[in-house]
Amino acid sequence: MQTGATATEQVVEGIQAGVSYYLTKPFEPEVLLSLIQAASRDAADVDALQAEVRTYQSMLELVEQSDFSFRTLAQAHALAAFLSAFSPDPERVVLGLLEMLLNAVEHGNVEITYEEKTRLVAEGTWEQEVLWRLALPENADKKVHVHYEKTPHEILLSITDEGQGFDWARYLDLSLERANHSHGRGIAMSKMLSFHEILYLGCGNQVVCKVNLARDEEVES
C-alpha cells in the first residue's frame, strides 16, 4: 500500500485488512523496488506453504504432544506447514509460525543482526549467507527445538534456539520507523494475525506461541 498515512493506528488497520508492506510518501525508487521484491518473494512462499498445509490436515487430529528439531531454512518451511495443520485455521497460523522458525535460525543460531539482514536482503544474498553461517564450525551442531502440545482448549508451540538471544521487545509491536523496510514486521504481524498470544522467555531464545482451539474465536490484537 502506497499511502500518506503514518499514524500507528492507520498502519495497524491496514495490516488487519491484509496489507503486508507499506510505502509512505515521499519514497525513493530503490525503496519501492526493494519492497516489491520482498512482497513477491513472500507471496510465493505463502502459496507454497498453504498448499502443503492442506496435505497434512486430515492426519493430525490425534496427536497431543510431540518434539521436533531442525537446522535449515528449508526445514523451517516444511515444519511450519506441518505444524500449522494441527490448528483450526492453518492458513492463518502458518505465516506466523514460519516467521518464528526462521527467526530462530537467522537471528538465533547464526546471529544475523537486523542491520545485516537489511543489507543482505537488498543484495539478494540473505539465504546464501544463512547457509554459509550454518556450515561454520561453531554453528554446525546448532539446532532449533520445537515442542508441540495440545490441550482441550489450546495449542502451545514452544520454539527454542541455541543462540545468545535478542532484543525481542522492540519488534513485538509495529514500528513506523520500520514501515518502509523490507523486513522487521514479522513478529508484530504474527502477534496480530496468527497467534492469540506470544510469550518470549529468558534472553529471547525461547518463544511460546498460543493458538486457541475455538474455531470462531478471533485473534486478540
Side-chain angles (χ1 to χ4, degrees):
M1 176 180 284
Q2 178 186 327
T3 177
T6 57
T8 299
E9 295 80 7
Q10 293 170 309
V11 174
V12 169
E13 185 177 349
I15 288 175
Q16 289 175 333
V19 175
S20 295
Y21 288 91
Y22 265 83
L23 191 62
T24 54
K25 304 172 184 177
F27 61 87
E28 298 294 328
E30 309 87 69
V31 176
L32 173 62
L33 290 174
S34 176
L35 289 187
I36 289 174
Q37 290 168 353
S40 177
R41 179 195 66 230
D42 289 352
D45 283 347
V46 168
D47 289 344
L49 279 170
Q50 291 183 345
E52 197 169 349
V53 163
R54 290 189 286 271
T55 68
Y56 293 124
Q57 279 183 278
S58 61
M59 303 182 289
L60 304 176
E61 294 182 0
L62 301 180
V63 180
E64 294 183 354
Q65 193 170 155
S66 192
D67 291 289
F68 306 84
S69 62
F70 71 95
R71 294 192 68 249
T72 69
L73 299 179
Q75 291 169 342
H77 278 78
L79 187 58
F82 181 73
L83 287 177
S84 63
F86 287 81
S87 72
D89 191 354
E91 293 187 358
R92 171 175 58 82
V93 171
V94 69
L95 303 179
L97 182 54
L98 177 61
E99 177 69 24
M100 296 301 174
L101 297 182
L102 293 178
N103 281 347
V105 176
E106 63 173 349
H107 298 308
N109 284 353
V110 302
E111 300 182 7
I112 292 176
T113 66
Y114 185 92
E115 292 73 21
E116 287 175 329
K117 183 170 181 179
T118 300
R119 174 179 57 80
L120 292 167
V121 169
E123 295 172 350
T125 59
W126 167 69
E127 291 192 27
Q128 296 95 310
E129 179 71 14
V130 173
L131 289 172
W132 179 77
R133 293 196 187 195
L134 282 171
L136 294 174
E138 61 267 31
N139 297 327
D141 295 325
K142 287 183 180 178
K143 295 182 178 179
V144 178
H145 305 277
V146 182
H147 178 73
Y148 165 88
E149 183 176 352
K150 179 181 179 181
T151 74
H153 305 293
E154 63 187 11
I155 289 172
L156 298 173
L157 293 160
S158 177
I159 303 165
T160 307
D161 63 64
E162 298 180 10
Q164 300 300 311
F166 77 113
D167 182 16
W168 52 268
R170 60 185 289 210
Y171 303 106
L172 200 56
D173 294 304
L174 290 169
S175 170
L176 291 178
E177 68 184 54
R178 295 193 298 272
N180 286 354
H181 294 187
S182 60
H183 67 107
R185 64 188 61 75
I187 294 174
M189 290 182 66
S190 299
K191 176 186 172 186
M192 290 173 55
L193 303 176
S194 295
F195 302 113
H196 294 85
E197 186 176 355
I198 292 177
L199 177 63
Y200 277 92
L201 304 176
C203 63
N205 72 331
Q206 182 177 15
V207 60
V208 178
C209 305
K210 183 175 79 171
V211 178
N212 289 349
L213 288 177
R215 292 178 181 273
D216 58 349
E217 195 166 358
E218 295 182 355
V219 176
E220 300 165 358
S221 60

PDB file of all heavy atoms in Angstrom, residues 119-138:
ATOM      1  N   ARG A 119      20.865  -5.335   4.745  1.00  0.00           N
ATOM      2  CA  ARG A 119      21.843  -5.302   3.652  1.00  0.00           C
ATOM      3  C   ARG A 119      21.758  -6.565   2.794  1.00  0.00           C
ATOM      4  O   ARG A 119      21.765  -6.488   1.552  1.00  0.00           O
ATOM      5  CB  ARG A 119      23.252  -5.157   4.234  1.00  0.00           C
ATOM      6  CG  ARG A 119      24.364  -5.260   3.202  1.00  0.00           C
ATOM      7  CD  ARG A 119      25.732  -5.079   3.830  1.00  0.00           C
ATOM      8  NE  ARG A 119      25.986  -6.032   4.896  1.00  0.00           N
ATOM      9  CZ  ARG A 119      26.368  -7.293   4.699  1.00  0.00           C
ATOM     10  NH1 ARG A 119      26.537  -7.754   3.463  1.00  0.00           N
ATOM     11  NH2 ARG A 119      26.613  -8.095   5.724  1.00  0.00           N
ATOM     12  N   LEU A 120      21.646  -7.707   3.430  1.00  0.00           N
ATOM     13  CA  LEU A 120      21.629  -8.979   2.695  1.00  0.00           C
ATOM     14  C   LEU A 120      20.392  -9.101   1.810  1.00  0.00           C
ATOM     15  O   LEU A 120      20.467  -9.597   0.681  1.00  0.00           O
ATOM     16  CB  LEU A 120      21.690 -10.145   3.689  1.00  0.00           C
ATOM     17  CG  LEU A 120      23.004 -10.298   4.457  1.00  0.00           C
ATOM     18  CD1 LEU A 120      22.824 -11.267   5.616  1.00  0.00           C
ATOM     19  CD2 LEU A 120      24.111 -10.763   3.529  1.00  0.00           C
ATOM     20  N   VAL A 121      19.241  -8.654   2.317  1.00  0.00           N
ATOM     21  CA  VAL A 121      18.016  -8.694   1.516  1.00  0.00           C
ATOM     22  C   VAL A 121      18.150  -7.774   0.310  1.00  0.00           C
ATOM     23  O   VAL A 121      17.769  -8.130  -0.810  1.00  0.00           O
ATOM     24  CB  VAL A 121      16.792  -8.316   2.374  1.00  0.00           C
ATOM     25  CG1 VAL A 121      15.564  -8.099   1.495  1.00  0.00           C
ATOM     26  CG2 VAL A 121      16.501  -9.397   3.412  1.00  0.00           C
ATOM     27  N   ALA A 122      18.705  -6.590   0.527  1.00  0.00           N
ATOM     28  CA  ALA A 122      18.895  -5.644  -0.577  1.00  0.00           C
ATOM     29  C   ALA A 122      19.837  -6.214  -1.639  1.00  0.00           C
ATOM     30  O   ALA A 122      19.651  -5.992  -2.846  1.00  0.00           O
ATOM     31  CB  ALA A 122      19.436  -4.321  -0.047  1.00  0.00           C
ATOM     32  N   GLU A 123      20.832  -6.983  -1.204  1.00  0.00           N
ATOM     33  CA  GLU A 123      21.790  -7.586  -2.134  1.00  0.00           C
ATOM     34  C   GLU A 123      21.282  -8.880  -2.754  1.00  0.00           C
ATOM     35  O   GLU A 123      21.881  -9.392  -3.709  1.00  0.00           O
ATOM     36  CB  GLU A 123      23.105  -7.875  -1.399  1.00  0.00           C
ATOM     37  CG  GLU A 123      23.833  -6.621  -0.913  1.00  0.00           C
ATOM     38  CD  GLU A 123      25.023  -6.956  -0.028  1.00  0.00           C
ATOM     39  OE1 GLU A 123      25.158  -8.147   0.354  1.00  0.00           O
ATOM     40  OE2 GLU A 123      25.798  -6.041   0.293  1.00  0.00           O
ATOM     41  N   GLY A 124      20.204  -9.430  -2.187  1.00  0.00           N
ATOM     42  CA  GLY A 124      19.687 -10.701  -2.665  1.00  0.00           C
ATOM     43  C   GLY A 124      20.528 -11.892  -2.236  1.00  0.00           C
ATOM     44  O   GLY A 124      20.502 -12.946  -2.886  1.00  0.00           O
ATOM     45  N   THR A 125      21.252 -11.753  -1.121  1.00  0.00           N
ATOM     46  CA  THR A 125      22.167 -12.811  -0.679  1.00  0.00           C
ATOM     47  C   THR A 125      21.822 -13.346   0.704  1.00  0.00           C
ATOM     48  O   THR A 125      22.642 -14.027   1.325  1.00  0.00           O
ATOM     49  CB  THR A 125      23.617 -12.297  -0.660  1.00  0.00           C
ATOM     50  OG1 THR A 125      23.704 -11.153   0.230  1.00  0.00           O
ATOM     51  CG2 THR A 125      24.062 -11.883  -2.052  1.00  0.00           C
ATOM     52  N   TRP A 126      20.621 -13.062   1.178  1.00  0.00           N
ATOM     53  CA  TRP A 126      20.250 -13.456   2.544  1.00  0.00           C
ATOM     54  C   TRP A 126      20.318 -14.974   2.743  1.00  0.00           C
ATOM     55  O   TRP A 126      20.945 -15.461   3.682  1.00  0.00           O
ATOM     56  CB  TRP A 126      18.843 -12.942   2.870  1.00  0.00           C
ATOM     57  CG  TRP A 126      18.243 -13.525   4.096  1.00  0.00           C
ATOM     58  CD1 TRP A 126      18.634 -13.299   5.390  1.00  0.00           C
ATOM     59  CD2 TRP A 126      17.155 -14.442   4.176  1.00  0.00           C
ATOM     60  NE1 TRP A 126      17.857 -14.018   6.258  1.00  0.00           N
ATOM     61  CE2 TRP A 126      16.944 -14.726   5.541  1.00  0.00           C
ATOM     62  CE3 TRP A 126      16.336 -15.044   3.216  1.00  0.00           C
ATOM     63  CZ2 TRP A 126      15.937 -15.594   5.971  1.00  0.00           C
ATOM     64  CZ3 TRP A 126      15.339 -15.902   3.643  1.00  0.00           C
ATOM     65  CH2 TRP A 126      15.148 -16.176   5.011  1.00  0.00           C
ATOM     66  N   GLU A 127      19.688 -15.749   1.855  1.00  0.00           N
ATOM     67  CA  GLU A 127      19.679 -17.197   2.022  1.00  0.00           C
ATOM     68  C   GLU A 127      21.079 -17.786   1.930  1.00  0.00           C
ATOM     69  O   GLU A 127      21.429 -18.695   2.693  1.00  0.00           O
ATOM     70  CB  GLU A 127      18.757 -17.847   0.991  1.00  0.00           C
ATOM     71  CG  GLU A 127      17.285 -17.551   1.231  1.00  0.00           C
ATOM     72  CD  GLU A 127      16.389 -18.425   0.383  1.00  0.00           C
ATOM     73  OE1 GLU A 127      16.800 -19.538   0.017  1.00  0.00           O
ATOM     74  OE2 GLU A 127      15.261 -17.991   0.089  1.00  0.00           O
ATOM     75  N   GLN A 128      21.896 -17.282   1.013  1.00  0.00           N
ATOM     76  CA  GLN A 128      23.262 -17.776   0.886  1.00  0.00           C
ATOM     77  C   GLN A 128      24.063 -17.515   2.150  1.00  0.00           C
ATOM     78  O   GLN A 128      24.857 -18.356   2.586  1.00  0.00           O
ATOM     79  CB  GLN A 128      23.961 -17.117  -0.315  1.00  0.00           C
ATOM     80  CG  GLN A 128      23.343 -17.462  -1.656  1.00  0.00           C
ATOM     81  CD  GLN A 128      22.335 -16.424  -2.116  1.00  0.00           C
ATOM     82  OE1 GLN A 128      21.435 -16.042  -1.359  1.00  0.00           O
ATOM     83  NE2 GLN A 128      22.492 -15.960  -3.340  1.00  0.00           N
ATOM     84  N   GLU A 129      23.844 -16.344   2.760  1.00  0.00           N
ATOM     85  CA  GLU A 129      24.560 -16.013   3.992  1.00  0.00           C
ATOM     86  C   GLU A 129      24.147 -16.952   5.132  1.00  0.00           C
ATOM     87  O   GLU A 129      25.002 -17.411   5.907  1.00  0.00           O
ATOM     88  CB  GLU A 129      24.279 -14.565   4.388  1.00  0.00           C
ATOM     89  CG  GLU A 129      24.953 -14.113   5.674  1.00  0.00           C
ATOM     90  CD  GLU A 129      26.463 -13.942   5.537  1.00  0.00           C
ATOM     91  OE1 GLU A 129      26.957 -13.914   4.382  1.00  0.00           O
ATOM     92  OE2 GLU A 129      27.145 -13.828   6.576  1.00  0.00           O
ATOM     93  N   VAL A 130      22.851 -17.242   5.229  1.00  0.00           N
ATOM     94  CA  VAL A 130      22.389 -18.163   6.273  1.00  0.00           C
ATOM     95  C   VAL A 130      23.025 -19.542   6.074  1.00  0.00           C
ATOM     96  O   VAL A 130      23.524 -20.156   7.034  1.00  0.00           O
ATOM     97  CB  VAL A 130      20.855 -18.277   6.272  1.00  0.00           C
ATOM     98  CG1 VAL A 130      20.398 -19.360   7.254  1.00  0.00           C
ATOM     99  CG2 VAL A 130      20.215 -16.943   6.649  1.00  0.00           C
ATOM    100  N   LEU A 131      23.028 -20.030   4.839  1.00  0.00           N
ATOM    101  CA  LEU A 131      23.623 -21.343   4.555  1.00  0.00           C
ATOM    102  C   LEU A 131      25.110 -21.355   4.893  1.00  0.00           C
ATOM    103  O   LEU A 131      25.625 -22.337   5.456  1.00  0.00           O
ATOM    104  CB  LEU A 131      23.409 -21.706   3.087  1.00  0.00           C
ATOM    105  CG  LEU A 131      21.974 -22.050   2.676  1.00  0.00           C
ATOM    106  CD1 LEU A 131      21.889 -22.199   1.165  1.00  0.00           C
ATOM    107  CD2 LEU A 131      21.510 -23.325   3.368  1.00  0.00           C
ATOM    108  N   TRP A 132      25.814 -20.278   4.545  1.00  0.00           N
ATOM    109  CA  TRP A 132      27.239 -20.198   4.835  1.00  0.00           C
ATOM    110  C   TRP A 132      27.498 -20.219   6.337  1.00  0.00           C
ATOM    111  O   TRP A 132      28.373 -20.949   6.824  1.00  0.00           O
ATOM    112  CB  TRP A 132      27.821 -18.929   4.206  1.00  0.00           C
ATOM    113  CG  TRP A 132      29.290 -18.767   4.483  1.00  0.00           C
ATOM    114  CD1 TRP A 132      30.329 -19.426   3.894  1.00  0.00           C
ATOM    115  CD2 TRP A 132      29.872 -17.879   5.442  1.00  0.00           C
ATOM    116  NE1 TRP A 132      31.528 -19.005   4.426  1.00  0.00           N
ATOM    117  CE2 TRP A 132      31.281 -18.057   5.385  1.00  0.00           C
ATOM    118  CE3 TRP A 132      29.344 -16.943   6.339  1.00  0.00           C
ATOM    119  CZ2 TRP A 132      32.156 -17.339   6.180  1.00  0.00           C
ATOM    120  CZ3 TRP A 132      30.228 -16.227   7.141  1.00  0.00           C
ATOM    121  CH2 TRP A 132      31.617 -16.428   7.060  1.00  0.00           C
ATOM    122  N   ARG A 133      26.710 -19.458   7.086  1.00  0.00           N
ATOM    123  CA  ARG A 133      26.920 -19.409   8.535  1.00  0.00           C
ATOM    124  C   ARG A 133      26.530 -20.728   9.206  1.00  0.00           C
ATOM    125  O   ARG A 133      27.164 -21.129  10.190  1.00  0.00           O
ATOM    126  CB  ARG A 133      26.118 -18.254   9.145  1.00  0.00           C
ATOM    127  CG  ARG A 133      26.603 -16.884   8.722  1.00  0.00           C
ATOM    128  CD  ARG A 133      26.063 -15.803   9.629  1.00  0.00           C
ATOM    129  NE  ARG A 133      26.388 -14.471   9.142  1.00  0.00           N
ATOM    130  CZ  ARG A 133      26.283 -13.364   9.873  1.00  0.00           C
ATOM    131  NH1 ARG A 133      25.859 -13.434  11.132  1.00  0.00           N
ATOM    132  NH2 ARG A 133      26.597 -12.195   9.367  1.00  0.00           N
ATOM    133  N   LEU A 134      25.524 -21.397   8.684  1.00  0.00           N
ATOM    134  CA  LEU A 134      25.152 -22.699   9.249  1.00  0.00           C
ATOM    135  C   LEU A 134      26.277 -23.712   9.117  1.00  0.00           C
ATOM    136  O   LEU A 134      26.398 -24.633   9.940  1.00  0.00           O
ATOM    137  CB  LEU A 134      23.891 -23.233   8.559  1.00  0.00           C
ATOM    138  CG  LEU A 134      22.554 -22.630   8.988  1.00  0.00           C
ATOM    139  CD1 LEU A 134      21.450 -23.099   8.056  1.00  0.00           C
ATOM    140  CD2 LEU A 134      22.240 -22.994  10.434  1.00  0.00           C
ATOM    141  N   ALA A 135      27.106 -23.564   8.085  1.00  0.00           N
ATOM    142  CA  ALA A 135      28.187 -24.511   7.840  1.00  0.00           C
ATOM    143  C   ALA A 135      29.443 -24.210   8.654  1.00  0.00           C
ATOM    144  O   ALA A 135      30.364 -25.037   8.689  1.00  0.00           O
ATOM    145  CB  ALA A 135      28.536 -24.526   6.356  1.00  0.00           C
ATOM    146  N   LEU A 136      29.501 -23.054   9.312  1.00  0.00           N
ATOM    147  CA  LEU A 136      30.669 -22.729  10.124  1.00  0.00           C
ATOM    148  C   LEU A 136      30.798 -23.701  11.292  1.00  0.00           C
ATOM    149  O   LEU A 136      29.792 -24.171  11.825  1.00  0.00           O
ATOM    150  CB  LEU A 136      30.549 -21.292  10.658  1.00  0.00           C
ATOM    151  CG  LEU A 136      30.593 -20.169   9.619  1.00  0.00           C
ATOM    152  CD1 LEU A 136      30.318 -18.824  10.281  1.00  0.00           C
ATOM    153  CD2 LEU A 136      31.939 -20.146   8.899  1.00  0.00           C
ATOM    154  N   PRO A 137      32.019 -24.016  11.705  1.00  0.00           N
ATOM    155  CA  PRO A 137      32.206 -24.988  12.783  1.00  0.00           C
ATOM    156  C   PRO A 137      31.434 -24.665  14.054  1.00  0.00           C
ATOM    157  O   PRO A 137      30.885 -25.567  14.706  1.00  0.00           O
ATOM    158  CB  PRO A 137      33.730 -24.937  13.030  1.00  0.00           C
ATOM    159  CG  PRO A 137      34.299 -24.491  11.727  1.00  0.00           C
ATOM    160  CD  PRO A 137      33.301 -23.546  11.138  1.00  0.00           C
ATOM    161  N   GLU A 138      31.367 -23.390  14.411  1.00  0.00           N
ATOM    162  CA  GLU A 138      30.677 -23.017  15.652  1.00  0.00           C
ATOM    163  C   GLU A 138      29.158 -23.179  15.558  1.00  0.00           C
ATOM    164  O   GLU A 138      28.467 -23.180  16.581  1.00  0.00           O
ATOM    165  CB  GLU A 138      31.010 -21.577  16.047  1.00  0.00           C
ATOM    166  CG  GLU A 138      30.599 -20.512  15.037  1.00  0.00           C
ATOM    167  CD  GLU A 138      31.712 -20.161  14.062  1.00  0.00           C
ATOM    168  OE1 GLU A 138      32.527 -21.042  13.758  1.00  0.00           O
ATOM    169  OE2 GLU A 138      31.760 -19.001  13.625  1.00  0.00           O
TER     170      GLU A 138
END
